[in-house]
Amino acid sequence: MDDFLSLFGVYDFAVRDALVLVLVSLALYVLLSAGIFAVPQVGLMAIGSYGSAILSVDMGVPVALAVPAAAVIAGAVGVLLAALVARLNGIYLAIASIAFSEVVRVAVLNVPLTGGSQGKVGISREVTDLWICGAVLLATVALVWLRRSRHGLVISAMRVDTLMAQHQGINVVRVRTLLFGLSGLLSGTAGALQAHTAGFIDPGQFNFDLLTKLLAVVVIGGMTFVGGSFVGALVIFGLPFTLEGFAEYQVLVNGLIIVLVVAFAPGGILGVLSRLLARLRRSDAPGEAGSPVVPGPGDAPAGIGPVALDADDVRVTFGGVHALDGVRLTVGQGEVLGVIGPNGSGKTTLINALSGAYTPSSGTGAVDGVPLALLWGRPHLLARAGIARTFQTIRLMDDKSVAANVALGFPPQVPRRSEATRELLVRMGLDQISGVPAGELPYGVRRQVEIARALARNPRVLLLDEPTAGMSPTEREGVFTAVDAARRHGLAVVLVEHDVAMMRRFCDRLMVLDFGRVLAEGSPDDVLDSKEVIDAYIGSGALA
Amino acid sequence: MDFWLQQTVNGIVLGSVYALYASGFGLVMASLRIFHVAHAAVFTWGAVVAWDLTTRLGWPLVATLPVVMLAAGLLNVAAYFLLIRHLLKRQDAELAAFISSMGGLIILVEVAHHLLDGAVERMPAGVFPVSPLELGPVRITTLHATMVVVSIGLIALLAWGMAHTQAGREVRTVAADRETASLLGINVDRVSAGVFFASGALAGLAAAMVATAFNVVSADLGSGYLVIALAAMVVGGFGSVAGALAGGLLIGVASTYATGYLDSSYRDLVVFALLLGFLVVRPTGLFHTRSELARV
């Protein structure tokens, strides 16, 4: 019973080894599926191996305690590493994580406690096959649960578009730190199990080659799927056994497969399968006609309420350019404030500053009673404080359904998220297409989805950056109807748009920006007919 | 004092080769934002070609260098077209290109492995006239002196070219913004291929000199120096050619000090700690060329 994997006969060691490496591959999946380009797993695995070995051999801790303790240590090191490299991204992060693994590898070769280059021997081999299978099963179940939960949506959002994720109230630094910890926990468990299966640790194994093998597993299987590690492991570890005389060329073939998979099947084997499956399913799904926007329930116009957002003296500079030079802005509940101005006048910068994408060098005020001074430059906090936005170029998760995209907008504490999502989709007239991937929708409908996602948070203030740019008149009407419905619910709206005629008709108040300053502000008619504004747009010298 | 001086000179010899490796690596990283790990395999192949020419054809080292540089450069251009180019437009281009390049690394190293039959080969004796030179209290061989002069000379040439020639300006434009560069009429593909060629040629040259100086040619030669090259690049600053030189020299000197004053086993630890430390504390390196470090 304890070594039931021996039913694989002479291959039982290989099977155990493969299972352990599947566990590390899952640790890779944890970071890569969130779009975090970091590969510290080999170093973390070494920490798990040596941690458990030292605890059990040198300190007399029972193996049953040493393994989980080592896993926790590796997890803690993962969290620490995440904190150290919190400022890094992209290639820098990848290099830092590889450097970390190398530091661990070289350190264990030189510390007396780890046995140096001789490795560690005499480790208790109490770990049974049940432990290994149990750990892999537990990890798989936990990761599948994580993926199905709201966290899974958060992780996908981070992978697709970190900036967009932040604007949905997601603290990406915190999520990243936790995922580093989880990755460390899994790698550490794998390392500890391996040490106690083999009875010794070979320090030479924790090298770059191991990392390439693990990456091959994850990439070939599909790095955004939990099952990818298993499928990839089957290919990488299974092929040599099924093909006679293959072993000599195994590494070469692995390399070729990696290159080909990245080039032709970026989602890996499971990515290809799931796309085929989706295509089969779609063909017998009901038609996916575009949807007319149904305005909200016939509320009476609420009139303009108390101030929702109040910002003063907002300054943003890029080098020597004052993109915003002391802008003051107030918008009340149920009010639509239009912002117009020539190109480069600071409209988008204003939206970016108010939503946290840019950090103003100064600025006071409050949103829904929370001082802005505490929130500047932190999109997730501004989002939580009640500021929602859309982007000039639509930012959606194209491979996710409309429902999933909108569900991302709901804060985590919302109960019955799927029902809330459905209600919102019905209200926005998007329920007919809730299952369609956002990437397949026409432009106008995508914008509606983005607005729906912004409304999901039930924000106090909605910032819209040219929501109708490039739309047909019908699509435009749709967007304006949706915004109007939101306004009737007491939402404060800041709207940047170029269509002056539409703005005059639609906005309660207009603000004109020019060279980062407020040129004029007031009722649309007053503002648009004022001499300064006409000069700013047409130029005053022209007639002189 | 004499010991210290000698160690410093040894460090500079080592560091100048690291710098050569790192500057090519950094050129690709900075201009295309690609973590092109297959660069290590191009290095290995540079050594293999040099070994083949000197052993089988009996060429002197100096005669092989142009051929090695050409071969390694072309190999790297092939790597660009086969491994990298089709991935640059992807949303996750950085990750995809890294993995693809890693696949290429595996293939190239494995082929070298089969070719060398897994053995560690030696360069034939007398491939380069090695005679000791006495410079005051410091001893240096003609080979080592040549390595320093060639490395620093080439890096200086590269730095000058990047700053003052039309090709250099084009590379910097592509580095700043690929799309805009293309709109400005720059043939981005040609510039990229050129960068890969120069990068590969430098790696090949460094490899031929390393193979001769340390008298070792093996399939893992390039991978062994990969992290050291990374360290030199990060310490110096991404994409700065002068930075790669400074970083390479610093890493070289630090590693000979570690070997000389502590123990040879601490050499890698010192190098990697420098790498990690710089990434954490000053990711822009000594000579930073880009202020915008992507923020989370």
Side-chain angles (χ1 to χ4, degrees), chain B residues 73-90:
Chain B
L74 290 178
L75 182 62
N76 215 25
V77 171
Y80 169 66
F81 282 106
L82 294 175
L83 302 173
I84 307 291
R85 185 171 170 270
H86 53 287
L87 304 174
L88 290 173
K89 291 230 166 83
R90 295 243 178 106

Side-chain angles (χ1 to χ4, degrees), chain A residues 32 37 39 81 84-92 94-100 102-103 105-107 110 160-162 166 172-173 176 208 211-213 215-216 219 223 248-249 251-252 254-256 258-259 262-264 266 356-357 359 377 379, chain B residues 29 32-35 37 82-83 86-87 90-92 94-108 110-111 114 220 223 226-227 230 233-234 238 263 265-266 268-269 272-273 275-276 279-284 290 293-296:
Chain A
L32 294 179
F37 185 10
V39 281
L81 179 67
L84 275 179
V85 297
R87 290 159 63 201
L88 303 181
N89 245 329
I91 299 175
Y92 284 87
I95 293 176
S97 63
I98 289 174
F100 163 77
E102 286 293 310
V103 168
R105 182 178 68 82
V106 176
N110 292 295
V160 175
D161 188 341
T162 310
Q166 286 177 304
V172 296
V173 173
R176 192 166 105 164
F208 195 72
L211 177 63
T212 57
K213 199 189 256 183
L215 268 172
V219 169
M223 66 179 143
E248 198 187 338
Y249 298 100
V251 181
L252 196 64
N254 285 353
L256 270 174
I258 293 176
V259 173
V262 173
F264 299 110
T359 311
Chain B
M29 273 214 193
L32 291 165
R33 309 220 155 199
I34 297 294
F35 189 2
V37 281
L82 294 175
L83 302 173
H86 53 287
L87 304 174
R90 295 243 178 106
Q91 198 173 21
D92 60 343
E94 285 183 352
L95 179 60
F98 167 66
I99 293 170
S100 185
S101 177
M102 202 193 68
L105 171 74
I106 295 174
I107 295 170
L108 287 173
E110 195 59 18
V111 173
H114 279 267
D220 300 319
S223 313
L226 178 67
V227 185
L230 279 179
M233 196 173 57
V234 168
F238 259 94
D263 186 89
S265 56
Y266 286 103
D268 289 347
L269 204 57
F272 301 155
L275 167 57
L276 206 54
L279 276 169
V280 170
V281 179
R282 195 182 157 83
T284 48
R290 295 165 179 277
L293 240 189
R295 200 175 55 103
V296 205

Side-chain angles (χ1 to χ4, degrees), chain B residues 13-39:
Chain B
V13 172
L14 206 55
S16 62
V17 185
Y18 292 167
L20 209 52
Y21 192 163
S23 56
F25 208 165
L27 201 58
V28 166
M29 273 214 193
S31 58
L32 291 165
R33 309 220 155 199
I34 297 294
F35 189 2
H36 181 47
V37 281
H39 190 81

Side-chain angles (χ1 to χ4, degrees), chain B residues 171-196:
Chain B
V171 171
R172 281 183 290 135
T173 313
V174 171
D177 191 331
R178 225 176 137 75
E179 217 142 295
T180 309
S182 164
L183 290 175
L184 290 171
I186 293 175
N187 185 340
V188 175
D189 248 346
R190 210 192 61 207
V191 170
S192 306
V195 166
F196 270 80

